[in-house]
Amino acid sequence: SRSEVLSVYTEVFGAIALAEYAKAAGDETVWQKAMAMYELLMPRLGRPSDTSLLGYPIHAEFHLHADDMCRITVAWVFNEIRPDPRFDDDLTLSVDSILKRHWKPELGALLENVAPDGSPMLDLPEGRMFHPGHAIESAWMLMEIARRRGDETLLQTAVEITLASLDHGWDREYGGLRYITNVDWTPTHSLEADLKLWWPHGETLYALLLAWDLTGRDDLAEWYEKVHDYTFSHFPDPEYGEWFGYLNRDGSRVWTAKANGWKGCFHLPRVLYRCYRLFGSTSASGS
Amino acid sequence: SRSEVLSVYTEVFGAIALAEYAKAAGDETVWQKAMAMYELLMPRLGRPSDTSLLGYPIHAEFHLHADDMCRITVAWVFNEIRPDPRFDDDLTLSVDSILKRHWKPELGALLENVAPDGSPMLDLPEGRMFHPGHAIESAWMLMEIARRRGDETLLQTAVEITLASLDHGWDREYGGLRYITNVDWTPTHSLEADLKLWWPHGETLYALLLAWDLTGRDDLAEWYEKVHDYTFSHFPDPEYGEWFGYLNRDGSRVWTAKANGWKGCFHLPRVLYRCYRLFGSTSASGS
């Protein structure tokens, strides 16, 4: 049925929205609903899973980086609202899985799909998949955890992930961050691989700003300027506001809708508000 | 499970491959297997179905033109090999559904998804979907049926569908046939809508050649030249042979693989062989 093809992201967005609303409204009943969704969601994340691609062999099992990213996204918000060792453990689980399973410093890549034990599966198209936007989105969450925990090693690794993803994923011919590549530049399975999407650019702006704020490194500031220029010259709609979502590789628009089944209000306000807070409240404000 | 997301096309290709092989090898056992697949496949086609998009409302039911196209593809091959009123009835069912449900001359469009009774559902993204390559692929099958049956009206309608699809779908800025549009040019749901794909171009070459052969119309010959020039300057691989499958809107390649889960050996040999036969054996050979 239709409901079976809906993605776990819907539940991720629902869980954090309920949690934030419970806090804003001071409503314990809503918090209970948020927790119920947390209980439903967490067991679905981190289990070996086949992907939605037409894979070879068709029933290969992968551990998905996307699951770690979902867990970190949800557990961070819940832990911010009501700190609890349980949420903190889910953050630790996410950090460990990303670093030990998916981040391959020798390849300069955070692999999107690996074997359940973290072994690369580079002989399969899914195993070669590099998703720069996902990698960078996880990286800034790792930076926030590193900042909270005072974990300098984690911070440095998160910066490395960000820079490796930009080095690999930036389109040197047309500008902008590629949506999906294979780590070895073999052909991807995704028809839309070469498009430029709004959300990886937004997530990258915040990752670079946070990384620069925490390290002061010039190379991060330079990347920020470059991504900023591409992003703000291509995505915002000067006439009606909001951002266009999907550009062809050459930067022309695939279409002009501000929302669809995937583009909702999740990424953009989140990262712009975080950027805004960062400009106003941290060491960056002094420079 | 994975098997539930596999498309009906796999079974379409399997059924006609088994049928053709049974004929080539004179193997009755294989023919029985082909018939078993026919029995499995036909009941799945033509029933109201939700689509694989994230639709609004999420459980809207559509009749899919793709189902008619699949039925016509399979029934034509089976009927060629062992003519039977049953197969001929399935062809008639397909023709009627395409003409009465999906072809909307007042819109100049063959709608990909309509209500089960054929009403347009233009208030839904799926209902606005126009798939020029699918429309043209069906059109040449209608022409072959029209030729066989001596049905001049059906032939003219099939030519109209072809020309309407080209008028709407041809990319006047970059050349090539768009993959997916909405009939009213509202934003589509498909991220890959603006790509240029190998198979719609192949199917269009044969449709135009057949239409020109059957009518001698100059406008069809002119379209053929235009599509021919784009196709052969963009898709064939001069170094290793075969065709590239997927181009960005601007004609640059998304990737260079010759096959993936969707690009197999179905479309290309089929249409090139049909073009070859047409050049060698019909009225066109005299001109």
Side-chain angles (χ1 to χ4, degrees), chain B residues 5 14 24 26 42 56 81 85 88 112 126 148 186 196 202 204 207 209 219 224 237 261 264 279:
Chain B
V5 302
M42 286 296 151
Y56 310 97
I81 295 174
D88 214 50
E112 199 63 18
E126 294 95 331
R148 157 88 53 81
T186 54
K196 309 287 161 60
T204 302
L209 205 59
D219 56 347
Y224 178 85
D237 179 350
F279 274 128

Side-chain angles (χ1 to χ4, degrees), chain A residues 2-6 50-51 53-56 58-60 126 174 179 187-195 197 246 248-250 252-257 260-262, chain B residues 2-6 50-51 53-56 58-60 126 174 179 187-195 197 246 248-250 252-257 260-262:
Chain A
R2 174 73 63 88
S3 58
E4 288 165 18
V5 302
L6 294 179
D50 56 12
T51 67
L53 299 172
L54 294 165
Y56 311 98
I58 209 158
H59 291 296
E126 294 94 332
Y174 292 95
Y179 183 37
T188 63
H189 233 147
S190 304
L191 274 59
E192 70 274 27
D194 274 2
L195 299 190
L197 271 60
Y246 303 90
N248 290 298
R249 186 180 169 197
D250 64 8
S252 61
R253 290 170 208 142
V254 178
W255 42 259
T256 53
N260 70 352
W262 302 278
Chain B
R2 174 71 65 89
S3 58
E4 288 165 18
V5 302
L6 295 178
D50 56 12
T51 67
L53 299 171
L54 294 165
Y56 310 97
I58 210 159
H59 291 296
E126 294 95 331
Y174 293 95
Y179 182 38
T188 63
H189 233 146
S190 305
L191 273 60
E192 69 274 28
D194 275 2
L195 298 191
L197 271 62
Y246 303 88
N248 290 298
R249 187 181 169 196
D250 65 7
S252 61
R253 290 171 209 142
V254 178
W255 43 259
T256 53
N260 71 352
W262 302 278

Side-chain angles (χ1 to χ4, degrees), chain B residues 145-208:
Chain B
I145 294 169
R147 178 171 59 176
R148 157 88 53 81
R149 295 181 178 176
D151 185 336
E152 182 64 23
T153 306
L154 181 58
L155 172 62
Q156 292 308 324
T157 305
V159 171
E160 273 178 61
I161 292 172
T162 304
L163 289 171
S165 304
L166 283 164
D167 278 336
H168 178 91
W170 190 258
D171 184 340
R172 281 164 177 79
E173 190 172 351
Y174 293 95
L177 194 62
R178 289 168 193 272
Y179 182 38
I180 293 167
T181 73
N182 279 2
V183 65
D184 59 357
W185 294 102
T186 54
T188 63
H189 233 146
S190 305
L191 273 60
E192 69 274 28
D194 275 2
L195 298 191
K196 309 287 161 60
L197 271 62
W198 92 104
W199 67 260
H201 291 79
E203 301 293 331
T204 302
L205 289 177
Y206 180 61
L208 287 167

Side-chain angles (χ1 to χ4, degrees), chain B residues 20-286:
Chain B
E20 292 282 7
Y21 178 77
K23 179 187 173 193
D27 188 330
E28 185 61 27
T29 314
V30 176
W31 178 258
Q32 295 306 324
K33 285 186 183 167
M35 279 307 299
M37 199 168 278
Y38 197 97
E39 307 284 1
L40 278 173
L41 184 58
M42 286 296 151
R44 290 182 58 187
L45 302 175
R47 297 177 312 180
S49 165
D50 56 12
T51 67
S52 60
L53 299 171
L54 294 165
Y56 310 97
I58 210 159
H59 291 296
E61 280 194 329
F62 297 97
H63 189 278
L64 311 186
H65 161 243
D67 284 344
D68 295 321
M69 197 181 62
C70 285
R71 190 191 307 101
I72 220 171
T73 300
V74 176
W76 176 268
V77 170
F78 279 64
N79 202 42
E80 286 292 289
I81 295 174
R82 302 203 185 179
D84 188 292
R86 173 187 180 176
F87 303 138
D88 214 50
D89 287 348
D90 281 337
L91 290 175
T92 301
L93 188 65
S94 312
V95 171
D96 286 351
S97 181
I98 292 171
L99 265 51
K100 292 177 186 165
R101 280 199 185 97
H102 293 278
W103 169 236
K104 306 294 178 194
E106 71 280 12
L107 297 173
L110 196 150
L111 295 178
E112 199 63 18
N113 306 301
V114 294
D117 70 356
S119 308
M121 294 176 80
L122 300 179
D123 55 332
L124 299 177
E126 294 95 331
R128 295 194 287 274
M129 188 191 238
F130 191 175
H131 198 326
H134 267 185
I136 292 169
E137 185 173 351
S138 276
W140 68 249
M141 297 186 207
L142 297 180
M143 290 178 209
E144 295 205 332
I145 294 169
R147 178 171 59 176
R148 157 88 53 81
R149 295 181 178 176
D151 185 336
E152 182 64 23
T153 306
L154 181 58
L155 172 62
Q156 292 308 324
T157 305
V159 171
E160 273 178 61
I161 292 172
T162 304
L163 289 171
S165 304
L166 283 164
D167 278 336
H168 178 91
W170 190 258
D171 184 340
R172 281 164 177 79
E173 190 172 351
Y174 293 95
L177 194 62
R178 289 168 193 272
Y179 182 38
I180 293 167
T181 73
N182 279 2
V183 65
D184 59 357
W185 294 102
T186 54
T188 63
H189 233 146
S190 305
L191 273 60
E192 69 274 28
D194 275 2
L195 298 191
K196 309 287 161 60
L197 271 62
W198 92 104
W199 67 260
H201 291 79
E203 301 293 331
T204 302
L205 289 177
Y206 180 61
L208 287 167
L209 205 59
L210 180 60
W212 171 70
D213 183 60
L214 295 173
T215 67
R217 282 171 56 165
D218 286 343
D219 56 347
L220 294 165
E222 284 159 22
W223 264 118
Y224 178 85
E225 292 295 335
K226 195 165 168 175
V227 178
H228 180 102
D229 287 348
Y230 183 89
T231 302
F232 285 96
S233 63
H234 283 80
F235 288 103
D237 179 350
E239 192 171 2
Y240 295 105
E242 247 280 356
W243 285 16
F244 299 113
Y246 303 88
L247 312 180
N248 290 298
R249 187 181 169 196
D250 65 7
S252 61
R253 290 171 209 142
V254 178
W255 43 259
T256 53
K258 299 293 163 49
N260 71 352
W262 302 278
K263 185 174 189 288
C265 63
F266 178 67
H267 289 280
L268 192 52
R270 182 174 75 148
V271 296
L272 292 183
Y273 180 62
R274 281 171 190 261
C275 288
Y276 167 81
R277 281 200 315 186
L278 205 57
F279 274 128
S281 67
T282 71
S283 56
S285 62

